[in-house]
Structures are given as C-alpha cells and as structure tokens.
C-alpha cells in the first residue's frame, strides 16, 4: 500500500512535466523476451491490425440505426438522461430517457449560433451533430454475451480474458485536487470494454469479460489481481522507463515482471490463455481551474497544468502470471467520456500489442 502511494505521488507530480514536454499523446511499449503471444492475421503493412484497421474492415457492417428525432443539447433538459447504446461494427445509438423511464432514439445536435441553446433552429441553417455528448454507456448485445462467460474450449487460437478496466475519471479543481465522477467513470469503462471486446473478437479470438456477478472466480482474487496490476504497472512506469530511477536489473533493458501464479485461477475459471488488464486515470479542468490557469499565465507568467490522461495496459500469461507486454499512455488531451476520443485512447493503448 505504501509503495502504491509513493508511486502515485511520483506520477501525479512528474506527469505534468512529461505531458508539457512531449507530444499531446505519448505511448511506449515493452515486451518480455520471448514473450510474444503469437501472430494474428496481419494488416496490409504486415503488422498486427490496429483498432482503426478493424473498424475499417467492418465499415458498412453496423446494423441500421432506427429513425431518430433530432434534438439540440438545450432540449435534453433537467430530469432527462442520455444513454449510449453500443452496436456491432463500432457503431452506437443515442437514446434520450425521461424522468418516467421512457426512452427514444435521438440525434443530438450542437447548440450553436445557428442552432441555439434554446433548441430553436434558425431558418436557412443546418444543424451540426454534437460530438461531446456524455451519457451512460450500454454494451452491445453481442458484447454482453461475453460477460461472465467461460470461453468455449473447442475454439482454436488464443483465448483472451478482458478484466474489468481499472478506470477513474475526475474533475480537477482550482486547488489541484481531483474529485471522482461516477458517470464519467462508468462511461469510460463501457467504451474501453466494448472497443477491446470488438477488437479481439473481430480478429477471431475467443473472448470473455470478467464479471464479479458471474462468480466464476472469487471477487477477492479478481480485485487482488487488478490491484496488483496497478502496483506492478506503476513500478514499470517508474523503474523500467525512467533512467534516474531505473533498477540495476533493468539497465540492460530486460523486461521481467509478473502478477504471480494466482492468475491461474482466472485461466481455470474462464478457459482463457491471456488476460488483458487496463489502468487509466483521466482528469478534466473545472471552470475555476481554467480561470486559475489563465490568471497564472497572464499575471505571473507561469503555467498551471490542466487535466491529463495517463494509463497503461498489460497482456498477461494466465498460466505463469508473467506480463508479456506492457504499454503506457500519457496525454495532455483526449476525453474518455465521449465516443471518438475514447476510441482513440483505446487504440493508443492497444498499439503494437504482440498478438
């Protein structure tokens, strides 16, 4: 626990410097010696297909979206809520639900000068779809079938278990404190889970998604492994990459990290060979934080960091518990609360996964 707190503090205080010093989005992966999980059907460039490659291959395969009423952001109103229903082929539907529980599909348009916040469209103008709609994310029916299910033992090829993403999204206050936001966090978990599930299944792998409710493995064991992955991932982040803190055993570039043989419980429960563990933290500046940034820059000439996105993903051999591959993500932008930015972040996490 103490190690986790120390590593968390290090990441919190050093990441703003890293984010400001590098490109808006930065990823870097490590693979264990001899740890490649094999090879899948390659894209045209001979590499493992990216998430975008898989989406492009599925273009036109998403189910037809039913007719929907057009509304503006201003028409959503208090007491109503937005639900994002995920669809196969990396599609989605947006539903507006009222206080009485009635829901209907909608197209939400942005409130602009042409289509103002009151919801009144001005003559001779066209509405622009809103791209920042945040709502409860519901997994597609196909992905829901994978939740808490044991993978068919007769399937050929790799069998992959997606662990519950360890994701937390927060509001960054003027004082620099983070306030966790339940809706944002739930939406991000839904997007990351859905995109990974479609990615692996569309490449022909057997896939299962861990669920505590299924009780295939005890909640304590599953959570212990998720927590252990957080600690191991933060250690890799600090001691594998950073030359200042690099351990003597890592100076030769060797990559040898593990979660231990408790991972075998997941293998037995779900029939999976590989486990995918994700850790993500994302924060967004509040209005007061943005004001503080502006004033600090204008009056004092200093920069105050805003929200940031940091995370890592690991591919784990569930027989040995060894971490076969690890990728870290650092970004000063992005938005896991909404569809396309969440897709981009998931694609960055999965970049160069050695399948």
């Amino acid at each position: 626990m103490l190690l986790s707190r120390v590593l968390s503090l290090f990441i919190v205080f050093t990441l703003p410097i890293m984010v400001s010093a590098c490109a808006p989005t930065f990823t870097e992966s490590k693979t264990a010696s001899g740890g490649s999980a094999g090879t899948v059907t390659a894209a045209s460039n001979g590499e493992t297909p990216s998430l975008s490659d898989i989406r492009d291959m599925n273009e036109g395969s998403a189910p037809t979206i039913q007719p929907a009423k057009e509304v503006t952001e201003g028409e959503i109103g208090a007491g109503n809520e937005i639900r994002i229903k995920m669809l196969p082929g990396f599609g989605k539907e947006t539903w507006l639900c009222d206080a009485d529980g009635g829901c209907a599909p909608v197209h939400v348009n942005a409130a602009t000068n042409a289509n103002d916040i009151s919801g009144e469209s001005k003559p001779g103008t066209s509405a622009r779809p809103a791209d920042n709609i945040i709502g409860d994310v519901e997994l597609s029916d196909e992905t829901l079938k994978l939740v808490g299910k044991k993978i068919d033992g007769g399937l050929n090829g790799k069998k992959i278990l997606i662990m519950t993403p360890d994701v937390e999204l927060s509001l960054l206050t003027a004082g620099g404190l983070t306030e966790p936001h339940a809706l944002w966090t739930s939406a991000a978990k839904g997007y990351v889970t859905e995109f990974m599930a479609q990615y692996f299944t569309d490449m022909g792998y057997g896939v299962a998604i861990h669920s505590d409710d299924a009780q295939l493995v005890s909640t304590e064991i599953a959570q212990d492994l998720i927590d252990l992955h957080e600690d191991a991932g933060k250690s890799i982040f600090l001691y594998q990459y950073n030359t200042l803190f690099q351990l003597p055993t890592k100076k030769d570039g060797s990559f040898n990290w593990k979660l231990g043989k408790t991972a075998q419980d997941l293998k037995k429960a779900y029939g999976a060979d590989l486990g995918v563990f994700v850790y993500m933290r994302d924060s967004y500046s509040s209005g007061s934080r943005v004001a503080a940034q502006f004033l600090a820059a204008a009056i004092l000439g200093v920069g105050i960091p805003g929200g940031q996105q940091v995370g890592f993903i690991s591919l784990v051999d569930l027989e040995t518990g060894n971490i076969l591959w690890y990728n870290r993500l650092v970004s000063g932008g992005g938005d896991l609360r909404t569809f396309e930015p969440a897709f981009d972040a998931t694609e960055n996490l999965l970049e160069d996964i050695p399948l």
Side-chain angles (χ1 to χ4, degrees):
M1 181 64 71
L2 179 60
L3 175 61
S4 179
R5 290 176 182 270
V6 171
L7 294 177
S8 296
L9 287 172
F10 174 83
I11 291 174
V12 165
F13 287 108
T14 59
L15 275 179
I17 299 174
M18 293 178 62
V19 169
S20 62
C22 65
T25 300
F26 170 79
T27 62
E28 186 178 2
S29 62
K30 298 285 186 181
T31 305
S33 300
S36 174
T39 305
V40 299
T41 302
S44 58
N45 60 4
E47 299 176 351
T48 301
S50 68
L51 192 60
S52 289
D53 291 330
I54 297 298
R55 178 160 72 171
D56 291 343
M57 293 175 189
N58 280 279
E59 188 173 0
S61 65
T64 302
I65 298 176
Q66 58 184 300
K69 175 185 176 183
E70 291 202 5
V71 299
T72 63
E73 293 171 284
E75 289 181 290
I76 295 175
N80 296 331
E81 65 176 26
I82 289 290
R83 293 182 186 172
I84 311 295
K85 177 62 178 178
M86 303 300 289
L87 301 173
F90 300 94
K92 67 178 176 68
E93 280 185 328
T94 303
W95 289 66
L96 180 62
C97 302
D98 58 31
D100 296 326
C103 299
V106 294
H107 289 306
V108 183
N109 295 319
T112 64
N113 290 333
N115 203 349
D116 65 30
I117 196 69
S118 68
E120 297 179 357
S121 298
K122 297 183 178 180
T125 61
S126 59
R128 177 177 60 83
D131 56 7
N132 60 344
I133 296 300
I134 301 171
D136 284 317
V137 174
E138 298 181 3
L139 300 180
S140 67
D141 294 339
E142 287 72 12
T143 296
L144 283 172
K145 295 175 184 177
L146 307 176
V147 177
K149 303 297 184 183
K150 188 167 184 176
I151 300 174
D152 183 0
L155 287 174
N156 294 322
K158 299 177 184 64
K159 302 175 181 65
I160 300 174
L161 171 65
I162 301 172
M163 292 300 291
T164 306
D166 183 0
V167 175
E168 183 178 271
L169 273 60
S170 304
L171 184 70
L172 185 63
T173 67
L177 299 177
T178 55
E179 298 178 352
H181 196 291
L183 174 60
W184 298 353
T185 297
S186 175
K189 286 184 176 182
Y191 282 131
V192 172
T193 300
E194 180 71 35
F195 293 143
M196 288 197 302
Q198 290 200 34
Y199 178 68
F200 294 131
T201 55
D202 287 350
M203 288 199 295
Y205 298 140
V207 178
I209 300 171
H210 168 70
S211 170
D212 286 336
D213 293 338
Q215 298 184 340
L216 295 183
V217 66
S218 75
T219 301
E220 291 76 13
I221 288 176
Q223 189 59 51
D224 283 348
L225 286 167
I226 291 172
D227 293 341
L228 182 56
H229 174 253
E230 176 186 352
D231 291 340
K234 288 177 179 177
S235 295
I236 296 170
F237 202 111
L238 177 59
Y239 298 122
Q240 186 79 46
Y241 290 90
N242 194 305
T243 55
L244 180 62
F245 297 100
Q246 199 168 54
L247 297 174
T249 56
K250 307 301 178 186
K251 291 187 181 296
D252 61 355
S254 62
F255 186 88
N256 183 18
W257 300 84
K258 59 182 64 181
L259 301 186
K261 291 198 172 183
T262 306
Q264 289 179 355
D265 290 353
L266 298 177
K267 178 182 177 70
K268 295 173 183 175
Y270 288 95
D273 305 310
L274 302 168
V276 175
F277 290 76
V278 172
Y279 173 93
M280 286 289 289
R281 294 294 183 268
D282 206 350
S283 57
Y284 307 90
S285 296
S286 64
S288 57
R289 181 69 173 184
V290 172
Q293 290 175 283
F294 176 79
L295 291 174
I299 299 175
L300 303 177
V302 297
I304 296 179
Q308 60 192 19
Q309 188 178 91
V310 59
F312 44 82
I313 181 173
S314 298
L315 185 66
V316 178
D317 182 339
L318 296 182
E319 177 64 32
T320 63
N322 293 341
I323 297 177
L324 303 176
W325 171 84
Y326 171 99
N327 190 25
R328 64 173 180 169
L329 167 67
V330 179
S331 177
D335 190 343
L336 282 168
R337 302 172 297 179
T338 56
F339 184 90
E340 284 296 338
F343 180 93
D344 293 340
T346 307
E347 180 171 48
N348 288 330
L349 281 173
L350 292 169
E351 184 178 0
D352 296 327
I353 188 169
L355 290 173

